[in-house]
Amino acid sequence: SQTYSAADIENISDTVTRQLDCRVCGTVVDHIISSSGSNVAGVSMLFHSPEPNESSVPFYVGDEHGRQRLREVAVGRWHNHVTDRFKQHTQWTHGPISATRASSHIQLPQELTSIADPSSVSLILFASDKETRQVLDILDSQFPRAAKLGIVGSQTPFLNGRDYTLLGPNIHTNGVVGVAFSTHTCVPRVAHTGLEAVSNVLRIERCKGNVVLELEQGDAAHLLIAALRKQRGTERVDSRLFARVTSAQGESRVFQVTGGNPAKGGIALDTLRDLSPGQNIQFMMQSASEHSAITTSHNPRVCFGVSSDHGFTCPEVTTQMFGGATEGGFSYGMPQPHETQTDCGSVFTGSTECAVPGSSVTLDLD
């Protein structure tokens, strides 16, 4: 956590490597998650000793591997200098596409490309800055059978002069540091606690990229405004708006509402993936009520969460907890049953980024 001095954080990789004779991968976070589920100050460590038939491969992916800064794109993501510069990499066929679809020029580091059997990788655990989208896409493409689980580190410019502090054999100020494991199959579980609906479930009739333009009862912005007027006088711990998007198959994702235009009727969600007509959406806000009850077990468990001004509580805890929480959030991806998967750019294909306060992703390590 950020309770340590800049000198201690700069030296932690060398100290752990020297004293424990191991390789280090990690980052600085806002809070460490304890066995009670609450956030504390300290260091959270997870050790892995591979069995004879297992392996663990550390890696780093940064801007030098062709990664682009997609989070710098404007709210709507359309017709701007970022998507325009991607035209040299991507053939536009059926109208404009999301900026993230231009990830084919990213080159994975040799540590990952040298893995003889990509299907043997069952878990990729990582820490990153906020620019994870294109890295997630290529990891999904190369390692579809692997679960992905990552945390966005805390920003540390006023602590040690680095945008982020990503720990490995070297200290990186940006990018993704991680480890690819060949172990048993792991399936992440995602929870969004402390949210309550402020609108009905509505069908998306028209959208473009991450922007909802029209719902079944009218334009998105005016329907949201009408729903919020009904909430006047309700106690809220946070004024931010969120949206739960649900597919026809019942899958759901929750995103923050990042902008709106009452004149044009559009509402933008915090995703670099694409929405589609026919999906359902429900607007939500954080409630002032207590979070859901905590469940416990005795299995070793990884938990990454999204912290807020009120801290963070992991909904699933164990006596052997590893993890942390930051305002930047986390990323997760489910293992796919086939060695190849079609990525159409939808919010429901590939790995997902989440920065919704109070949300968490957990994974059991049997």
Side-chain angles (χ1 to χ4, degrees), residues 111-208:
E111 294 87 350
L112 294 180
T113 58
S114 62
I115 295 176
D117 181 10
S119 66
S120 68
V121 178
S122 57
L123 171 64
I124 299 177
L125 200 62
F126 61 90
S128 70
D129 59 14
K130 64 181 180 180
E131 298 284 352
T132 56
R133 182 67 263 163
Q134 288 188 310
V135 179
L136 289 171
D137 289 345
I138 196 167
L139 290 176
D140 286 336
S141 175
Q142 297 296 315
F143 305 101
R145 292 191 175 184
K148 290 87 180 177
L149 197 65
I151 187 168
V152 177
S154 301
Q155 293 184 279
T156 58
F158 298 108
L159 178 66
N160 57 7
R162 300 178 183 273
D163 290 343
Y164 295 83
T165 303
L166 303 174
L167 306 173
N170 300 309
I171 298 179
H172 302 280
T173 60
N174 57 60
V176 178
V177 295
V179 181
F181 297 94
S182 296
T183 61
H184 59 278
T185 301
C186 306
V187 180
R189 299 182 301 280
V190 181
H192 303 285
T193 59
L195 295 176
E196 66 177 14
V198 296
S199 77
N200 296 325
V201 177
L202 300 166
R203 187 177 65 253
I204 298 175
E205 298 289 349
R206 193 163 58 93
C207 55
K208 191 174 186 180

XYZ file of all heavy atoms in Angstrom, residues 111-208:
740
model
N 8.897 -13.634 -23.844
C 8.562 -14.560 -22.758
C 7.237 -15.265 -23.014
O 7.076 -16.450 -22.687
C 8.490 -13.804 -21.422
C 9.810 -13.239 -20.944
C 10.083 -11.867 -21.520
O 9.348 -11.438 -22.431
O 11.033 -11.216 -21.055
N 6.277 -14.555 -23.613
C 4.965 -15.148 -23.880
C 4.920 -15.866 -25.226
O 4.290 -16.919 -25.349
C 3.882 -14.071 -23.825
C 3.640 -13.432 -22.447
C 2.548 -12.378 -22.531
C 3.268 -14.487 -21.405
N 5.559 -15.310 -26.236
C 5.527 -15.958 -27.549
C 6.318 -17.257 -27.561
O 6.105 -18.105 -28.425
C 6.084 -15.023 -28.632
O 7.418 -14.649 -28.301
C 5.225 -13.774 -28.760
N 7.237 -17.426 -26.617
C 8.040 -18.650 -26.575
C 7.356 -19.793 -25.832
O 7.913 -20.893 -25.762
C 9.397 -18.361 -25.918
O 9.227 -17.937 -24.578
N 6.175 -19.555 -25.287
C 5.427 -20.643 -24.640
C 4.992 -21.623 -25.719
O 4.242 -21.272 -26.636
C 4.210 -20.091 -23.870
C 4.681 -19.213 -22.709
C 3.331 -21.234 -23.353
C 3.554 -18.545 -21.942
N 5.463 -22.870 -25.620
C 5.253 -23.853 -26.692
C 3.787 -24.177 -26.898
O 3.324 -24.327 -28.034
C 6.045 -25.124 -26.376
N 3.022 -24.282 -25.828
C 1.609 -24.654 -25.920
C 0.761 -23.595 -25.218
O 0.562 -23.668 -23.998
C 1.380 -26.031 -25.294
C -0.078 -26.482 -25.397
O -0.850 -25.815 -26.119
O -0.428 -27.487 -24.745
N 0.256 -22.593 -25.953
C -0.537 -21.544 -25.308
C -1.762 -22.073 -24.568
O -2.196 -21.460 -23.594
C -0.952 -20.651 -26.492
C 0.094 -20.890 -27.532
C 0.463 -22.332 -27.389
N -2.308 -23.202 -25.009
C -3.495 -23.750 -24.347
C -3.185 -24.285 -22.956
O -4.096 -24.555 -22.175
C -4.113 -24.855 -25.201
O -3.239 -25.967 -25.300
N -1.884 -24.437 -22.635
C -1.510 -24.919 -21.302
C -1.606 -23.818 -20.252
O -1.616 -24.097 -19.047
C -0.085 -25.481 -21.319
O 0.868 -24.442 -21.535
N -1.662 -22.549 -20.688
C -1.752 -21.422 -19.746
C -3.186 -21.329 -19.240
O -4.124 -21.161 -20.017
C -1.327 -20.106 -20.422
C -1.482 -18.941 -19.460
C 0.107 -20.215 -20.913
N -3.348 -21.428 -17.923
C -4.693 -21.426 -17.344
C -5.019 -20.166 -16.565
O -6.187 -19.891 -16.290
C -4.865 -22.635 -16.410
O -3.873 -22.609 -15.396
N -4.003 -19.371 -16.201
C -4.237 -18.152 -15.426
C -3.162 -17.133 -15.753
O -1.968 -17.449 -15.757
C -4.214 -18.462 -13.926
C -4.237 -17.247 -12.979
C -5.541 -16.464 -13.132
C -4.046 -17.690 -11.531
N -3.591 -15.889 -16.037
C -2.674 -14.772 -16.212
C -3.023 -13.735 -15.153
O -4.118 -13.178 -15.146
C -2.764 -14.170 -17.621
C -2.390 -15.229 -18.664
C -1.848 -12.957 -17.742
C -2.523 -14.751 -20.097
N -2.088 -13.536 -14.226
C -2.273 -12.605 -13.113
C -1.375 -11.406 -13.383
O -0.181 -11.569 -13.690
C -1.880 -13.294 -11.812
C -2.388 -12.732 -10.486
C -3.910 -12.774 -10.420
C -1.778 -13.517 -9.328
N -1.899 -10.173 -13.273
C -1.092 -9.022 -13.664
C -1.465 -7.764 -12.898
O -2.512 -7.692 -12.233
C -1.209 -8.772 -15.174
C -2.598 -8.458 -15.653
C -3.064 -7.153 -15.706
C -3.450 -9.475 -16.075
C -4.341 -6.858 -16.152
C -4.732 -9.202 -16.529
C -5.179 -7.888 -16.569
N -0.575 -6.780 -12.987
C -0.803 -5.434 -12.474
C -0.493 -4.464 -13.607
O 0.368 -4.734 -14.438
C 0.086 -5.152 -11.269
N -1.173 -3.320 -13.635
C -1.063 -2.466 -14.821
C -1.362 -1.013 -14.506
O -1.802 -0.659 -13.403
C -2.052 -2.953 -15.891
O -3.388 -2.678 -15.475
N -1.136 -0.160 -15.522
C -1.697 1.175 -15.505
C -3.117 1.076 -16.067
O -3.651 -0.029 -16.231
C -0.818 2.155 -16.293
C -0.638 1.750 -17.763
O -1.385 0.870 -18.243
O 0.251 2.310 -18.428
N -3.741 2.205 -16.397
C -5.135 2.153 -16.833
C -5.295 1.795 -18.309
O -6.420 1.626 -18.778
C -5.827 3.481 -16.557
C -5.249 4.654 -17.345
C -5.974 5.949 -17.011
C -5.396 7.128 -17.792
N -6.104 8.393 -17.474
N -4.179 1.668 -19.047
C -4.254 1.397 -20.486
C -4.126 -0.102 -20.769
O -3.147 -0.560 -21.357
C -3.159 2.172 -21.220
C -3.265 3.683 -21.087
C -4.370 4.266 -21.956
O -4.952 3.516 -22.763
O -4.635 5.472 -21.832
N -5.115 -0.873 -20.346
C -5.026 -2.335 -20.471
C -5.765 -2.898 -21.676
O -5.566 -4.065 -22.019
C -5.602 -3.008 -19.217
O -6.949 -2.544 -19.015
C -4.763 -2.682 -17.991
N -6.603 -2.109 -22.351
C -7.548 -2.671 -23.310
C -6.873 -3.486 -24.420
O -7.252 -4.635 -24.673
C -8.392 -1.561 -23.932
C -9.454 -2.013 -24.917
C -10.559 -2.802 -24.243
N -10.376 -4.234 -24.334
C -11.026 -5.096 -23.563
N -11.861 -4.679 -22.638
N -10.839 -6.388 -23.707
N -5.908 -2.928 -25.091
C -5.302 -3.643 -26.205
C -4.490 -4.851 -25.737
O -4.427 -5.860 -26.432
C -4.427 -2.696 -27.035
C -5.241 -1.702 -27.841
C -4.374 -0.908 -28.789
O -3.357 -0.354 -28.388
N -4.773 -0.834 -30.043
N -3.886 -4.740 -24.564
C -3.144 -5.889 -24.021
C -4.110 -7.020 -23.697
O -3.838 -8.193 -23.976
C -2.335 -5.473 -22.783
C -1.585 -6.672 -22.209
C -1.353 -4.365 -23.132
N -5.258 -6.688 -23.117
C -6.266 -7.713 -22.840
C -6.725 -8.402 -24.118
O -6.883 -9.627 -24.159
C -7.470 -7.084 -22.134
C -7.277 -6.638 -20.686
C -8.490 -5.852 -20.215
C -7.019 -7.831 -19.778
N -6.911 -7.617 -25.181
C -7.381 -8.191 -26.439
C -6.393 -9.207 -27.000
O -6.782 -10.289 -27.451
C -7.636 -7.081 -27.464
C -8.850 -6.235 -27.129
O -9.653 -6.668 -26.286
O -8.988 -5.142 -27.710
N -5.118 -8.883 -26.966
C -4.152 -9.820 -27.544
C -3.923 -11.014 -26.621
O -3.679 -12.126 -27.084
C -2.828 -9.102 -27.893
C -2.004 -9.983 -28.840
C -2.043 -8.721 -26.653
C -0.846 -9.272 -29.501
N -4.041 -10.827 -25.302
C -3.957 -11.967 -24.391
C -5.151 -12.899 -24.597
O -5.005 -14.129 -24.568
C -3.899 -11.495 -22.946
C -2.610 -10.792 -22.502
C -2.745 -10.300 -21.067
C -1.404 -11.716 -22.643
N -6.332 -12.320 -24.821
C -7.511 -13.147 -25.114
C -7.306 -13.941 -26.395
O -7.716 -15.099 -26.499
C -8.760 -12.268 -25.250
C -9.263 -11.736 -23.920
O -8.966 -12.368 -22.886
O -9.941 -10.703 -23.916
N -6.679 -13.315 -27.382
C -6.465 -13.978 -28.658
C -5.427 -15.094 -28.554
O -5.623 -16.180 -29.109
C -6.012 -12.942 -29.700
O -5.675 -13.554 -30.927
N -4.349 -14.833 -27.830
C -3.265 -15.811 -27.760
C -3.492 -16.885 -26.698
O -3.030 -18.012 -26.840
C -1.946 -15.082 -27.460
C -1.520 -14.114 -28.537
C -1.224 -14.814 -29.855
O -0.568 -15.845 -29.894
N -1.731 -14.256 -30.947
N -4.211 -16.534 -25.633
C -4.418 -17.468 -24.527
C -5.898 -17.528 -24.146
O -6.290 -17.164 -23.039
C -3.580 -17.050 -23.312
C -2.115 -16.908 -23.599
C -1.558 -15.648 -23.795
C -1.295 -18.022 -23.692
C -0.203 -15.504 -24.071
C 0.059 -17.893 -23.964
C 0.606 -16.635 -24.162
N -6.761 -17.983 -25.064
C -8.205 -17.958 -24.802
C -8.628 -18.869 -23.644
O -9.649 -18.617 -23.009
C -8.813 -18.415 -26.127
C -7.730 -19.204 -26.780
C -6.453 -18.526 -26.399
N -7.866 -19.921 -23.367
C -8.250 -20.843 -22.299
C -7.821 -20.370 -20.913
O -8.124 -21.020 -19.915
C -7.669 -22.222 -22.581
C -8.296 -22.911 -23.796
C -7.880 -24.358 -23.882
N -8.573 -25.054 -24.964
C -8.448 -26.345 -25.220
N -7.640 -27.092 -24.468
N -9.103 -26.898 -26.212
N -7.122 -19.261 -20.845
C -6.621 -18.753 -19.567
C -7.590 -17.743 -18.960
O -8.133 -16.888 -19.657
C -5.254 -18.104 -19.757
N -7.799 -17.848 -17.649
C -8.485 -16.790 -16.918
C -7.523 -15.617 -16.774
O -6.317 -15.813 -16.609
C -8.925 -17.294 -15.552
N -8.037 -14.393 -16.885
C -7.213 -13.200 -16.700
C -7.711 -12.439 -15.480
O -8.920 -12.269 -15.295
C -7.258 -12.274 -17.920
C -6.539 -12.814 -19.158
C -7.437 -13.679 -19.986
C -6.731 -14.232 -21.225
N -7.610 -15.145 -21.990
N -6.769 -11.984 -14.674
C -7.127 -11.265 -13.456
C -6.040 -10.223 -13.197
O -4.869 -10.564 -13.029
C -7.222 -12.238 -12.278
C -7.960 -11.753 -11.041
C -9.440 -11.524 -11.379
C -7.836 -12.767 -9.919
N -6.429 -8.942 -13.191
C -5.440 -7.890 -13.023
C -5.970 -6.716 -12.235
O -7.182 -6.473 -12.202
N -5.074 -5.989 -11.610
C -5.446 -4.793 -10.860
C -4.719 -3.594 -11.444
O -3.549 -3.683 -11.841
C -5.125 -4.951 -9.356
C -5.674 -3.762 -8.571
C -3.623 -5.119 -9.123
C -5.664 -3.974 -7.067
N -5.423 -2.474 -11.533
C -4.810 -1.212 -11.948
C -4.138 -0.611 -10.719
O -4.781 -0.405 -9.687
C -5.859 -0.240 -12.514
C -5.207 1.096 -12.858
C -6.529 -0.843 -13.736
N -2.843 -0.360 -10.801
C -2.117 0.162 -9.654
C -2.542 1.573 -9.280
O -3.190 2.289 -10.050
N -2.151 1.978 -8.078
C -2.372 3.363 -7.659
C -1.417 4.279 -8.411
O -0.288 3.905 -8.704
C -2.115 3.509 -6.156
O -2.963 2.674 -5.404
N -1.870 5.458 -8.712
C -0.981 6.446 -9.315
C -0.073 7.029 -8.221
O -0.548 7.382 -7.133
C -1.788 7.535 -10.005
C -2.542 7.018 -11.229
C -3.264 8.105 -11.986
O -4.355 8.507 -11.613
N -2.663 8.591 -13.054
N 1.217 7.110 -8.518
C 2.189 7.467 -7.480
C 3.077 8.663 -7.824
O 4.212 8.745 -7.340
C 3.097 6.249 -7.193
O 3.754 5.837 -8.414
C 2.298 5.087 -6.633
N 2.649 9.624 -8.636
C 3.555 10.725 -9.001
C 4.001 11.564 -7.814
O 5.135 12.068 -7.798
C 2.733 11.548 -10.003
C 1.322 11.230 -9.686
C 1.328 9.792 -9.278
N 3.144 11.721 -6.800
C 3.513 12.535 -5.647
C 4.185 11.715 -4.551
O 4.574 12.253 -3.515
C 2.281 13.247 -5.086
C 1.665 14.204 -6.078
C 0.462 13.898 -6.691
C 2.304 15.386 -6.415
C -0.099 14.771 -7.615
C 1.755 16.260 -7.337
C 0.539 15.949 -7.940
N 4.311 10.418 -4.790
C 5.010 9.552 -3.845
C 6.463 9.358 -4.246
O 7.373 9.515 -3.435
C 4.299 8.192 -3.762
C 4.934 7.145 -2.855
C 4.857 7.601 -1.397
C 4.231 5.796 -3.022
N 6.672 9.028 -5.541
C 8.042 8.765 -5.995
C 8.345 9.314 -7.391
O 9.358 8.964 -7.985
C 8.319 7.260 -5.973
C 7.330 6.474 -6.826
O 6.509 7.055 -7.535
N 7.395 5.156 -6.750
N 7.440 10.160 -7.929
C 7.685 10.755 -9.240
C 7.308 9.875 -10.412
O 7.485 10.266 -11.564
N 6.757 8.685 -10.167
C 6.349 7.767 -11.234
C 4.837 7.833 -11.408
O 4.094 7.891 -10.430
C 6.764 6.329 -10.899
C 8.264 6.123 -10.705
C 8.546 4.663 -10.331
N 9.956 4.421 -10.063
C 10.856 4.111 -10.983
N 10.485 4.016 -12.256
N 12.124 3.908 -10.666
N 4.378 7.767 -12.665
C 2.928 7.737 -12.893
C 2.312 6.543 -12.174
O 1.294 6.657 -11.495
C 2.626 7.653 -14.395
C 2.979 8.940 -15.121
O 3.137 9.975 -14.441
O 3.113 8.909 -16.350
N 2.909 5.377 -12.376
C 2.548 4.157 -11.665
C 3.855 3.496 -11.234
O 4.916 3.775 -11.804
C 1.762 3.188 -12.567
C 0.415 3.703 -12.997
C 0.290 4.559 -14.096
C -0.748 3.339 -12.318
C -0.948 5.040 -14.490
C -1.990 3.812 -12.713
C -2.080 4.663 -13.798
O -3.307 5.133 -14.183
N 3.774 2.631 -10.242
C 4.953 1.885 -9.801
C 4.659 0.405 -9.986
O 3.983 -0.219 -9.152
C 5.295 2.194 -8.337
O 5.499 3.616 -8.183
C 6.557 1.464 -7.917
N 5.108 -0.142 -11.113
C 4.880 -1.541 -11.452
C 6.177 -2.299 -11.206
O 7.219 -1.989 -11.786
C 4.439 -1.665 -12.911
C 3.183 -0.861 -13.274
C 2.916 -0.935 -14.774
C 1.969 -1.353 -12.499
N 6.110 -3.298 -10.344
C 7.290 -3.983 -9.839
C 7.568 -5.268 -10.592
O 6.662 -6.066 -10.844
C 7.123 -4.293 -8.349
C 6.775 -3.100 -7.456
C 6.462 -3.578 -6.048
C 7.908 -2.090 -7.452
N 8.819 -5.464 -10.928
C 9.295 -6.687 -11.553
C 10.791 -6.725 -11.375
O 11.326 -6.096 -10.446
N 11.527 -7.418 -12.240
C 12.986 -7.307 -12.186
C 13.425 -5.848 -12.315
O 14.416 -5.431 -11.737
C 13.435 -8.144 -13.389
C 12.325 -9.127 -13.603
C 11.077 -8.397 -13.238
N 12.657 -5.080 -13.101
C 12.833 -3.628 -13.191
C 11.550 -2.951 -12.714
O 10.480 -3.563 -12.677
C 13.126 -3.201 -14.629
C 14.392 -3.845 -15.171
O 15.443 -3.791 -14.547
N 14.276 -4.480 -16.332
N 11.642 -1.674 -12.351
C 10.461 -0.898 -11.977
C 10.000 -0.116 -13.199
O 10.787 0.613 -13.813
C 10.761 0.054 -10.812
C 11.174 -0.750 -9.568
C 9.535 0.902 -10.495
C 11.512 0.121 -8.371
N 8.723 -0.276 -13.560
C 8.164 0.391 -14.736
C 7.166 1.455 -14.294
O 6.443 1.278 -13.307
C 7.471 -0.626 -15.642
C 8.374 -1.735 -16.111
N 9.249 -1.585 -17.155
C 8.531 -3.010 -15.668
C 9.912 -2.709 -17.350
N 9.504 -3.593 -16.459
N 7.102 2.548 -15.049
C 6.151 3.619 -14.737
C 4.845 3.472 -15.509
O 3.901 4.212 -15.259
C 6.767 4.994 -15.056
O 7.088 5.043 -16.453
C 8.029 5.224 -14.246
N 4.784 2.537 -16.453
C 3.549 2.280 -17.186
C 3.628 0.883 -17.786
O 4.679 0.242 -17.762
C 3.313 3.326 -18.284
C 4.476 3.408 -19.266
O 4.820 2.429 -19.920
N 5.090 4.583 -19.363
N 2.507 0.415 -18.324
C 2.479 -0.890 -18.965
C 1.770 -1.940 -18.130
O 0.947 -1.624 -17.257
N 2.094 -3.197 -18.409
C 1.479 -4.341 -17.728
C 2.583 -5.306 -17.317
O 3.377 -5.743 -18.154
C 0.485 -5.073 -18.661
C -0.103 -6.298 -17.953
C -0.629 -4.136 -19.109
N 2.671 -5.620 -16.023
C 3.584 -6.651 -15.534
C 2.733 -7.808 -15.043
O 1.691 -7.614 -14.416
C 4.510 -6.146 -14.410
C 5.440 -5.079 -14.918
C 3.698 -5.634 -13.227
N 3.138 -9.031 -15.346
C 2.313 -10.159 -14.949
C 3.054 -11.468 -14.983
O 4.247 -11.535 -15.281
N 2.297 -12.526 -14.669
C 2.816 -13.888 -14.689
C 1.762 -14.779 -15.335
O 0.575 -14.702 -14.992
C 3.131 -14.408 -13.273
C 3.701 -15.824 -13.342
C 4.100 -13.478 -12.556
N 2.194 -15.602 -16.292
C 1.322 -16.592 -16.928
C 1.581 -17.944 -16.265
O 2.711 -18.435 -16.274
C 1.591 -16.662 -18.424
N 0.528 -18.525 -15.686
C 0.644 -19.771 -14.947
C 0.058 -20.933 -15.739
O -0.993 -20.790 -16.383
C -0.098 -19.693 -13.611
C 0.444 -18.665 -12.657
C -0.102 -17.391 -12.612
C 1.489 -18.967 -11.809
C 0.383 -16.432 -11.726
C 1.985 -18.025 -10.919
C 1.427 -16.751 -10.877
N 0.718 -22.061 -15.662
C 0.153 -23.318 -16.150
C -0.195 -24.149 -14.928
O 0.644 -24.860 -14.369
C 1.154 -24.061 -17.046
O 1.424 -23.323 -18.208
N -1.429 -23.995 -14.463
C -1.894 -24.702 -13.269
C -3.277 -25.252 -13.562
O -3.645 -25.474 -14.713
C -1.938 -23.757 -12.054
O -2.862 -22.689 -12.328
C -0.568 -23.165 -11.764
N -4.067 -25.469 -12.514
C -5.435 -25.929 -12.695
C -6.315 -24.796 -13.219
O -5.956 -23.630 -13.153
C -5.988 -26.450 -11.369
C -5.984 -25.408 -10.284
N -4.861 -25.115 -9.547
C -6.946 -24.566 -9.836
C -5.136 -24.151 -8.678
N -6.396 -23.797 -8.841
N -7.478 -25.144 -13.736
C -8.406 -24.149 -14.285
C -8.961 -23.256 -13.178
O -9.322 -23.724 -12.101
C -9.567 -24.853 -15.008
O -9.033 -25.664 -16.047
C -10.520 -23.827 -15.600
N -8.990 -21.959 -13.441
C -9.508 -20.975 -12.491
C -10.620 -20.168 -13.157
O -10.522 -19.830 -14.329
C -8.396 -20.025 -12.043
S -6.924 -20.821 -11.364
N -11.667 -19.861 -12.410
C -12.788 -19.079 -12.938
C -13.060 -17.907 -11.995
O -13.463 -18.106 -10.855
C -14.056 -19.934 -13.085
C -15.206 -19.085 -13.638
C -13.806 -21.136 -13.984
N -12.833 -16.661 -12.435
C -13.093 -15.492 -11.586
C -14.591 -15.302 -11.329
O -15.441 -15.692 -12.130
C -12.535 -14.324 -12.406
C -11.657 -14.943 -13.444
C -12.241 -16.285 -13.725
N -14.895 -14.687 -10.195
C -16.269 -14.311 -9.841
C -16.307 -12.802 -9.596
O -15.456 -12.266 -8.902
C -16.740 -15.054 -8.584
C -16.751 -16.555 -8.729
C -17.272 -17.228 -7.462
N -16.464 -16.900 -6.296
C -15.310 -17.478 -5.990
N -14.795 -18.400 -6.791
N -14.637 -17.139 -4.905
N -17.291 -12.147 -10.169
C -17.387 -10.684 -10.092
C -18.620 -10.306 -9.287
O -19.688 -10.920 -9.428
C -17.466 -10.061 -11.503
C -17.545 -8.542 -11.419
C -16.254 -10.485 -12.325
N -18.478 -9.290 -8.424
C -19.605 -8.800 -7.624
C -19.631 -7.276 -7.678
O -18.580 -6.629 -7.649
C -19.486 -9.275 -6.181
N -20.830 -6.716 -7.784
C -21.030 -5.264 -7.742
C -21.944 -4.972 -6.557
O -23.168 -5.175 -6.638
C -21.657 -4.755 -9.037
C -20.876 -5.088 -10.266
N -19.714 -4.428 -10.615
C -21.079 -6.025 -11.226
C -19.242 -4.934 -11.737
N -20.048 -5.901 -12.133
N -21.388 -4.535 -5.436
C -22.178 -4.322 -4.223
C -22.471 -2.842 -4.029
O -21.747 -1.970 -4.514
C -21.432 -4.856 -2.993
O -20.164 -4.183 -2.887
C -21.185 -6.342 -3.115
N -23.555 -2.571 -3.293
C -23.893 -1.206 -2.940
C -24.557 -0.397 -4.025
O -24.645 0.832 -3.902
N -25.042 -1.029 -5.100
C -25.721 -0.314 -6.172
C -27.215 -0.590 -6.137
O -27.638 -1.716 -5.834
C -25.161 -0.720 -7.537
C -23.701 -0.379 -7.842
C -23.304 -0.939 -9.198
C -23.465 1.130 -7.804
N -28.004 0.404 -6.455
C -29.447 0.204 -6.576
C -29.964 0.916 -7.811
O -29.434 1.938 -8.237
C -30.187 0.671 -5.324
C -30.140 2.153 -5.063
C -30.953 2.542 -3.843
O -31.325 1.640 -3.070
O -31.227 3.746 -3.677
N -31.011 0.355 -8.383
C -31.553 0.868 -9.642
C -32.246 2.211 -9.435
O -32.938 2.421 -8.432
C -32.528 -0.139 -10.230
N -32.086 3.111 -10.391
C -32.811 4.383 -10.402
C -33.679 4.495 -11.655
O -34.294 5.537 -11.891
C -31.841 5.581 -10.318
C -31.088 5.570 -9.002
C -30.870 5.599 -11.501
N -33.727 3.424 -12.461
C -34.582 3.410 -13.649
C -35.074 1.997 -13.887
O -34.588 1.039 -13.273
C -33.818 3.898 -14.889
O -32.957 2.874 -15.384
N -36.033 1.876 -14.767
C -36.478 0.557 -15.201
C -35.443 -0.040 -16.152
O -34.558 0.652 -16.647
C -37.830 0.659 -15.912
C -38.929 1.136 -14.975
O -38.938 0.802 -13.792
N -39.857 1.926 -15.511
N -35.586 -1.322 -16.429
C -34.756 -1.971 -17.445
C -35.313 -1.580 -18.812
O -36.512 -1.750 -19.079
C -34.772 -3.501 -17.283
C -33.971 -4.165 -18.403
C -34.220 -3.891 -15.924
N -34.457 -1.030 -19.673
C -34.885 -0.517 -20.965
C -34.056 -1.139 -22.084
O -32.863 -1.396 -21.912
C -34.742 1.013 -21.006
C -35.549 1.786 -19.953
C -35.064 3.229 -19.887
C -37.036 1.721 -20.272
N -34.677 -1.371 -23.214
C -33.983 -1.947 -24.355
C -33.284 -0.854 -25.165
O -33.850 0.202 -25.427
C -34.958 -2.707 -25.253
C -34.283 -3.485 -26.388
C -35.277 -4.285 -27.205
N -36.219 -3.415 -27.913
C -37.497 -3.260 -27.563
N -37.983 -3.920 -26.532
N -38.282 -2.464 -28.256
N -32.060 -1.116 -25.554
C -31.311 -0.184 -26.398
C -31.785 -0.340 -27.842
O -31.712 -1.425 -28.417
C -29.799 -0.449 -26.312
C -29.294 -0.230 -24.877
C -29.031 0.447 -27.284
C -27.837 -0.589 -24.682
N -32.273 0.738 -28.414
C -32.741 0.719 -29.795
C -31.673 1.200 -30.772
O -31.560 0.682 -31.888
C -33.982 1.614 -29.940
C -35.178 1.160 -29.114
C -35.803 -0.120 -29.652
O -35.444 -0.551 -30.774
O -36.653 -0.691 -28.953
N -30.871 2.171 -30.330
C -29.852 2.728 -31.221
C -28.643 3.147 -30.397
O -28.781 3.744 -29.320
C -30.429 3.932 -31.995
C -29.583 4.394 -33.161
C -30.424 5.286 -34.098
N -30.971 6.443 -33.394
C -30.368 7.632 -33.331
N -29.188 7.804 -33.920
N -30.937 8.630 -32.697
N -27.453 2.805 -30.880
C -26.230 3.140 -30.164
C -25.082 3.202 -31.166
O -25.212 2.780 -32.317
C -25.930 2.114 -29.063
S -25.850 0.402 -29.662
N -23.958 3.729 -30.707
C -22.778 3.832 -31.554
C -21.553 3.748 -30.657
O -21.302 4.639 -29.847
C -22.798 5.161 -32.321
C -21.761 5.259 -33.427
C -21.967 6.548 -34.220
C -21.037 6.602 -35.429
N -21.232 7.839 -36.204
